[in-house]
Amino acid sequence: MDKFRMIFQFFQSNQESFMNGICGIMALASTQMYSAFDFNCPCLPLYNLAYGLGILLVPPFILFLLGFVLNNNISMLAEEWRRPQGQRGKDPAVLRYMFCSMAQRAMIAPAVWVSVTLLDGKCITCAFCTSVPVETLGNASHPLLSQGEIQRVLARIPCKEIYNGQQLIANEVAVRYLRCISQALGWCFVLLMTTLAFLVRSLRPCFSQAAFLKSRYWSHYIDIERKLFDETCAEHARSFAKVCIQQFFEGMSTDLVAARCHLPRKAPVDAEEAAEKLLGITDRGTMNTVLKSWHRCKPPLHLHPPALPTGNGWAGEGQPPTHPSAPRRETAAYYSSV
Amino acid sequence: MDRFRMIFQYFQSNSESVMNGICGLLALASVKMYTSFDFSCPCLPQYNMAYGLGIMFVPPVILLLCGLILNRQSVLMLEEWRRPPGRRKKDLAVIRYMCSSIMQRAMVAPVVWIVVTLLDGKCLICAFSASMDPEKFAGFANVSTVQVQQLLAKVPCRDDELMTNNTSRKAVSRYLRCWSQALGWSILLILIIAAFLARWLRPCFNQATLLQARHWSNYIDIEQKIFEETCCEHSRLFAHKCILHFFESMRQEIKLHSFSLPREGEGAEAEEDLLRGITDQDQVNKLLKTWYYEKPPLDVS
């Protein structure tokens, strides 16, 4: 159980690990969905192509979008993209990094579906059975068959029990041919995806690695900051509720004219602690203003006490203060040592 | 058991996680229900459509109602909607937010049922086999009108003596199943696109209002929980004091036993503080009534 707890905590440790977990689960789910799905080729000339290509392409698109929908970072990305500038500048490199990392993870489940479908062969067999080269594989000179009839006969290839064109082209021959092409396509697709992934991973450090490190850091920062803000708000709400209820009870007890009614001699200790945790925000209007400013005007990434605009040269410049001043000097040192 | 407790604790950490967990469980339950349900088409002309469409639409309504019932927030939302304003104004944005989040979660299980039904195909084959055009299928083309209806209605029943090994039956079945699966995938695609657009575009509209509505809806939930805990604690102490008073009043009549009530001075005082001066039934009733009719203002300064 310890092992499981460790794995669980590892995945929870940050959003990226969590998303890797979800991505793996979705890939498994896509294979499971494919094997549970009852493929049912219509065996009619025009319907075959639509059905086969539909099953090959529509579920991957659904899985791709699902990968985005399940990813909490998408609303974080949209928020960061649309928020007013306020006191904190926006860095398009961070937004690009977030989008790329989400898109990469969302592509895995669709790629698995397409590979499994091609390697299995049923979709391609259904979609392209009417394009089988009858001249090379069968008996093209079969008399008394118009083009339309030939198409109808070929369309029944995937449905063995109603196939009536053994003289035209043997069913096993056509199915083997189509399946071979499908599997070749499948393996090429897997090879292509793997090569792309390999190239992306190995060539990335060759291009602007420093900028990449910066973007990754600040995208993690935005994620952590949002989580901490939500936790702080929840903590505040809890303390607010405790004090509110405490005051309600006190108010009731002063209103009640009863024989043995008396005010409590001291407030319970936890209510006092709760009042301290309120951080001075003690009514609805103030809380609403806090939440509105959080969105409209995020605080600068600057942990020193706010300097006067005239006193500190660089804070007064037009440059958005994305990074604090002290690390900035450290960043210059980093570059020079590299 | 440890594993289960950890997963349980993770989901209990806040209300939203609990609701997501319930929503996921209902979706899995709907898939399981469908696979274990023994679909049995009546294969009679008038009954087929009623049965097929009934199986497709009635369980989703049941699942939707279950999703609403099991969600604690729906009661909170109704309470917040119907309470008198008292000293605390009502914020319609919060009520709308709660309503939309409840409906989104409740809709997942019904949609899963409908999609699984369509992807499987049996319901649609049962419902629409009698409405097929017999001219399209060789085996039914030269049969009289009355008989063809009966024959088409028997298509979903493979074991029927007329239908076993009938290629036209298989053709009708395949055709309807293909349409059913296409419809199922299309519905799934449309819903996923809608969900994606909703998630992507929401921060573009009124993000500040959304943050506020989410915060206050969470607050209402926490406040209700803390109020219930406080009331529980109060009622425990009330009961304790009540019983102690009863024993004290009985003490005079008990002369045979050397009976002394355990009574620590400090403990009794601390308990009276916690009772907050509310010490009889009418006072408790008044307190509960006021809690509903006149919620305290959101101002603790």
Side-chain angles (χ1 to χ4, degrees):
Chain A
M1 290 313 117
D2 255 348
K3 212 187 301 181
F4 186 79
R5 190 175 311 149
M6 256 175 50
I7 296 177
F8 199 67
Q9 270 168 4
F10 169 69
F11 277 122
Q12 277 288 88
S13 59
N14 70 347
Q15 186 71 7
E16 280 207 5
S17 301
F18 186 67
M19 280 319 300
N20 286 344
I22 297 258
C23 165
I25 289 176
M26 272 183 56
L28 287 176
S30 86
T31 52
Q32 193 57 27
M33 255 169 67
Y34 183 78
S35 44
F37 177 66
D38 186 14
F39 190 88
N40 175 63
C41 194
C43 293
L44 297 164
L46 292 166
Y47 287 67
N48 275 6
L49 188 67
Y51 187 85
L53 290 184
I55 299 297
L56 183 64
L57 298 173
V58 167
F61 187 62
I62 291 174
L63 288 167
F64 181 67
L65 290 181
L66 193 64
F68 273 104
V69 166
L70 289 180
N71 192 342
N72 284 333
N73 280 5
I74 188 183
S75 33
M76 202 171 81
L77 173 64
E79 225 178 275
E80 180 64 15
W81 181 38
R82 300 293 304 168
R83 69 170 170 90
Q85 184 121 335
Q87 295 178 36
R88 183 190 289 186
K90 289 207 262 196
D91 190 355
V94 172
L95 295 173
R96 273 197 305 268
Y97 170 82
M98 280 161 70
F99 182 75
C100 285
S101 92
M102 283 197 311
Q104 280 169 21
R105 282 182 183 83
M107 294 263 277
I108 292 182
V112 167
W113 175 282
V114 170
S115 327
V116 168
T117 306
L118 289 174
L119 291 175
D120 188 36
K122 287 194 289 242
C123 268
I124 297 289
T125 307
C126 184
F128 294 108
C129 55
T130 48
S131 326
V132 163
V134 184
E135 305 80 27
T136 39
L137 295 177
N139 187 1
S141 59
H142 193 80
L144 301 176
L145 278 183
S146 66
Q147 201 52 32
E149 257 312 300
I150 292 181
Q151 289 291 301
R152 265 194 291 277
V153 167
L154 287 177
R156 294 200 195 112
I157 286 175
C159 304
K160 290 194 178 61
E161 65 268 8
I162 60 164
Y163 185 60
N164 56 353
Q166 280 299 107
Q167 292 87 20
L168 183 60
I169 176 171
N171 190 291
E172 301 80 23
V173 169
V175 167
R176 256 200 321 266
Y177 175 78
L178 289 166
R179 188 176 270 175
C180 157
I181 291 188
S182 173
Q183 288 181 346
L185 277 175
W187 284 118
C188 291
F189 180 76
V190 173
L191 180 66
L192 183 68
M193 288 285 123
T194 316
T195 311
L196 265 176
F198 173 75
L199 285 175
V200 164
R201 262 206 108 126
S202 35
L203 294 181
R204 195 176 45 203
C206 306
F207 299 96
S208 58
Q209 175 72 351
F212 169 74
L213 289 176
K214 249 175 24 180
S215 311
R216 194 170 63 177
Y217 177 84
W218 290 112
S219 100
H220 285 173
Y221 172 81
I222 293 173
D223 180 29
I224 291 172
E225 186 186 55
R226 192 179 71 142
K227 276 202 194 99
L228 280 177
F229 182 75
D230 285 342
E231 276 174 29
T232 310
C233 278
E235 193 54 50
H236 187 273
R238 203 168 295 132
S239 308
F240 198 106
K242 271 199 191 134
V243 175
C244 195
I245 290 170
Q246 161 72 8
Q247 288 180 353
F248 173 74
F249 272 81
E250 277 173 12
M252 287 306 300
S253 69
T254 51
D255 285 350
L256 289 167
V257 182
R260 287 180 358 186
C261 135
H262 58 274
L263 291 167
R265 281 174 219 138
K266 59 174 172 40
V269 176
D270 62 345
E272 278 183 355
E273 278 174 20
E276 274 171 23
K277 286 190 193 167
L278 287 178
L279 306 167
I281 299 165
T282 50
D283 67 81
R284 193 211 310 235
T286 315
M287 189 68 205
N288 280 344
T289 311
V290 163
L291 292 169
K292 203 171 8 183
S293 324
W294 179 256
H295 171 65
R296 295 249 172 96
C297 186
K298 280 219 162 63
L301 290 167
H302 191 296
L303 296 179
H304 301 283
L308 295 169
T310 49
N312 186 337
W314 81 267
E317 285 170 359
Q319 188 171 8
T322 314
H323 308 292
S325 55
R328 203 170 168 208
R329 269 180 274 125
E330 290 167 14
T331 309
Y334 170 77
Y335 274 120
S336 62
S337 68
V338 167
Chain B
M1 276 307 109
D2 246 354
R3 198 191 303 186
F4 187 73
R5 192 179 314 143
M6 247 180 56
I7 295 179
F8 198 65
Q9 267 168 7
Y10 167 68
F11 277 118
Q12 282 280 87
S13 58
N14 71 344
S15 287
E16 282 212 6
S17 299
V18 171
M19 291 183 311
N20 287 344
I22 290 185
C23 166
L25 278 177
L26 266 183
L28 286 177
S30 86
V31 173
K32 191 81 185 114
M33 256 168 67
Y34 183 79
T35 45
S36 47
F37 176 64
D38 188 14
F39 189 88
S40 148
C41 195
C43 292
L44 297 164
Q46 293 86 18
Y47 290 67
N48 273 7
M49 183 159 301
Y51 186 84
L53 293 183
I55 297 297
M56 198 151 89
F57 291 116
V58 168
V61 170
I62 295 172
L63 288 166
L64 179 73
L65 292 175
C66 278
L68 291 174
I69 290 169
L70 290 176
N71 194 344
R72 201 174 157 268
Q73 266 211 343
S74 45
V75 173
L76 283 178
M77 184 204 74
L78 283 174
E79 242 179 64
E80 180 65 15
W81 183 36
R82 299 301 304 165
R83 72 172 169 88
R87 289 152 71 193
R88 184 190 290 187
K89 282 189 325 228
K90 286 204 268 199
D91 189 354
L92 285 176
V94 173
I95 296 174
R96 272 198 304 266
Y97 173 83
M98 284 167 86
C99 191
S100 85
S101 100
I102 290 166
M103 285 309 292
Q104 279 169 23
R105 284 187 178 84
M107 295 273 275
V108 170
V111 163
V112 166
W113 176 279
I114 290 178
V115 166
V116 167
T117 304
L118 287 172
L119 289 181
D120 187 37
K122 289 193 288 242
C123 272
L124 236 67
I125 294 176
C126 183
F128 291 107
S129 66
S131 327
M132 284 281 100
D133 178 11
E135 303 303 318
K136 278 197 209 159
F137 304 98
F140 299 120
N142 298 323
V143 185
S144 72
T145 321
V146 173
Q147 270 203 324
V148 85
Q149 280 297 303
Q150 304 244 336
L151 272 181
L152 281 173
K154 286 199 199 301
V155 159
C157 297
R158 261 177 248 188
D159 305 326
D160 191 278
E161 58 204 353
L162 290 170
M163 286 289 138
T164 323
N165 290 330
N166 185 332
T167 50
S168 306
R169 173 197 73 80
K170 290 180 192 163
V172 172
S173 177
R174 228 179 10 244
Y175 179 80
L176 283 170
R177 183 176 269 170
C178 162
W179 274 108
S180 170
Q181 287 178 345
L183 193 61
W185 284 118
S186 312
I187 288 180
L188 197 55
L189 181 67
I190 290 172
L191 287 174
I192 287 285
I193 291 178
F196 174 75
L197 287 175
R199 266 204 109 149
W200 186 266
L201 296 178
R202 194 158 58 170
C204 304
F205 300 97
N206 259 336
Q207 176 70 355
T209 316
L210 177 73
L211 282 177
Q212 288 168 1
R214 194 170 64 184
H215 180 265
W216 291 115
S217 88
N218 203 26
Y219 172 80
I220 290 172
D221 187 21
I222 290 175
E223 188 187 52
Q224 186 67 15
K225 275 198 198 116
I226 293 182
F227 182 73
E228 279 163 20
E229 277 171 27
T230 312
C231 280
C232 255
E233 204 184 289
H234 187 274
S235 62
R236 193 179 317 128
L237 293 166
F238 197 93
H240 192 214
K241 282 226 118 180
C242 208
I243 291 168
L244 279 181
H245 283 194
F246 171 72
F247 273 91
E248 213 178 299
S249 75
M250 296 306 302
R251 203 195 344 204
Q252 279 105 37
E253 291 155 41
I254 301 172
K255 289 183 175 133
L256 292 176
H257 305 251
S258 54
F259 186 87
S260 66
L261 290 166
R263 193 159 175 208
E264 304 141 19
E266 279 299 315
E269 277 187 10
E271 277 179 5
E272 278 186 5
D273 285 340
L274 289 172
L275 280 176
R276 295 171 174 89
I278 293 158
T279 47
D280 72 45
Q281 178 176 24
D282 288 334
Q283 290 173 4
V284 173
N285 285 342
K286 185 165 196 311
L287 179 135
L288 292 172
K289 195 159 97 161
T290 315
W291 179 257
Y292 176 68
Y293 280 104
E294 263 186 52
K295 278 226 161 62
L298 287 168
D299 188 341
V300 300
S301 35

